[in-house]
Amino acid sequence: MSLARARSILSVDQWEDREAVMEVIKQTRGMVMDCALPTTKTPYKATGKILANLFYEPSTRTSSSFHAAMLKIGGHVIPINDVNYSSVSKGENLEDTIRTMGSYADVIVLRHPDVGAAQRAAKASYVPIINGGDGVGEHPSQAMLDLYTIYKEFDLRIDGLTVTMLGDLKHGRTVHSLSKLLRHFDVKINFVSPKSFAMPDEFVQPGDGVYTDLDEVIETTNVLYVTRVQWERIADGRPTSPDAVYKYRVTPEHMAKAPNKFRVLHPFPCVDEIDRSIDSDKRAAYFRQMRNGLYVRMALLESVF
Ligand code: NCD
């Protein structure tokens, strides 16, 4: 395996055990402390390096936070946030685009609609690839920031919690990656979705709870991880009966039933799936979660150099 490929971040599988995960969390905590200082004291390995942000799908948080993270650790960014303005629109294949960007940049963050695109890119690449989301596949940096958020919100502890994932678990790559990362900890996992949006079998393990109604588990849930319906991944568009989906909305009534130790997370964008009066509830952690993305991505970028 090439050195570039070895340093790539393609799937959460590469954090093989709890120690590997905790190491990233430790690096992230270091970045949080660095950001609190008036001047940067740490000599980052990324200083002077260039990140190419290559996005074949829309993004606000992933692209901006990787961009900001690279600037914070002393690097520079080539932003290609809309490949339609690149030679991709002229028919250039992924491998050629990757080799091109690797001629100018030291690391590439790739978001692509096809599962496995990051692996394909890493095979062709001279420089490390970070998977910024590959279709319904994985989103490892998001899962790491989700995990870090849980760790931070629950006083530096993950063991013993009950995590309930709600919404479109079939097409949501964030829940695929997060469910795998959580397996390194002693957590109870519940999946709540309409049957047609159920978590694929490969991510479900004996002992997990599988439900179609949030009311069945809200009283025992500590982390409610909410996802939107990934309409763009559903070939025939919106279902004829939207009720099937919109009953998966988190309401103030759910918040009232939740236990004391409770947080709501969401990778965003949030469309209809949370009653927005919940935003002002201290237990809504999704804006803090967004901010954590900056620190986690600083740590991940630094780790590839
Ligand atoms: C997620 C994604 O792109 O998978 N967003 C993100 O990266 N924060 C979730 C989504 O789009 O619903």
Side-chain angles (χ1 to χ4, degrees):
M1 193 195 294
S2 73
L3 194 57
R5 204 165 158 210
R7 289 191 177 152
S8 292
I9 299 174
L10 306 177
S11 156
V12 291
D13 293 341
Q14 74 189 73
W15 295 302
E16 281 172 356
D17 51 28
R18 183 194 275 247
E19 283 64 43
V21 175
M22 291 313 294
E23 183 57 32
V24 181
I25 288 186
K26 189 175 134 209
Q27 302 298 332
T28 300
R29 283 163 64 81
M31 294 302 182
V32 174
M33 284 193 276
D34 282 6
C35 286
L37 296 172
T39 52
T40 300
K41 296 242 168 53
T42 313
Y44 295 116
K45 293 193 217 77
T47 302
K49 298 275 202 282
I50 297 176
L51 159 70
N53 240 356
L54 185 58
F55 281 69
Y56 288 69
E57 279 189 341
S59 171
T60 302
R61 278 146 292 272
T62 305
S63 79
S64 315
S65 61
F66 267 116
H67 192 138
M70 194 61 181
L71 299 184
K72 287 259 186 199
I73 56 178
H76 312 278
V77 182
I78 303 172
I80 303 192
N81 292 328
D82 184 346
V83 291
N84 293 319
Y85 289 96
S86 74
S87 286
V88 171
S89 67
K90 301 179 189 171
E92 185 167 84
N93 69 31
L94 176 66
E95 283 77 6
D96 286 348
T97 304
I98 289 292
R99 284 187 204 105
T100 307
M101 298 320 296
S103 306
Y104 313 133
D106 304 289
V107 57
I108 299 168
V109 172
L110 174 70
R111 169 167 289 189
H112 197 282
D114 297 344
V115 175
Q119 266 84 2
R120 255 177 73 200
K123 274 193 195 135
S125 186
Y126 317 125
V127 301
I129 301 289
I130 299 180
N131 183 0
D134 59 330
V136 300
E138 281 220 35
H139 197 346
S141 66
Q142 179 70 44
M144 194 50 95
L145 81 88
D146 297 338
L147 194 82
Y148 174 74
T149 302
I150 295 171
Y151 176 78
K152 201 165 160 230
E153 295 286 329
F154 288 88
D155 302 324
L156 315 187
R157 247 184 95 83
I158 297 170
D159 288 328
L161 297 174
T162 295
V163 180
T164 297
M165 300 187 184
L166 175 78
D168 180 358
L169 308 181
K170 180 176 179 191
H171 304 102
R173 54 195 169 202
T174 66
V175 284
H176 298 166
S177 289
L178 180 59
S179 66
K180 289 207 237 172
L181 261 195
L182 284 169
R183 302 294 177 193
H184 297 305
F185 298 86
D186 177 21
V187 291
K188 161 84 181 157
I189 303 183
N190 296 317
F191 300 118
V192 181
S193 71
K195 285 213 166 69
S196 51
F197 291 96
M199 193 65 151
D201 288 345
E202 62 182 292
F203 302 106
V204 183
Q205 288 192 2
D208 294 344
V210 178
Y211 302 91
T212 55
D213 189 344
L214 180 57
D215 280 321
E216 292 186 75
V217 286
I218 189 69
E219 284 166 20
T220 56
T221 292
N222 300 116
V223 178
L224 180 60
Y225 190 96
V226 189
T227 63
R228 75 184 169 97
V229 180
Q230 308 269 309
W231 296 112
E232 71 275 28
R233 307 199 191 289
I234 299 166
D236 48 1
R238 292 181 178 246
T240 43
S241 164
D243 289 359
V245 173
Y246 292 122
K247 80 172 196 189
Y248 291 85
R249 187 178 165 82
V250 184
T251 63
E253 290 72 44
H254 291 121
M255 299 300 282
K257 283 190 205 158
N260 290 338
K261 271 177 61 178
F262 179 70
R263 294 290 184 274
V264 184
L265 272 66
H266 192 310
F268 268 56
C270 180
V271 189
D272 308 298
E273 54 284 352
I274 295 179
D275 182 311
R276 300 310 292 269
S277 68
I278 293 171
D279 288 3
S280 55
D281 189 311
K282 285 200 196 83
R283 297 170 299 167
Y286 30 84
F287 296 118
R288 297 190 289 276
Q289 179 185 3
M290 246 174 228
R291 175 72 185 177
N292 292 337
L294 174 69
Y295 307 125
V296 169
R297 287 172 172 137
M298 287 170 74
L300 293 179
L301 281 169
E302 182 68 358
S303 77
V304 303
F305 294 116

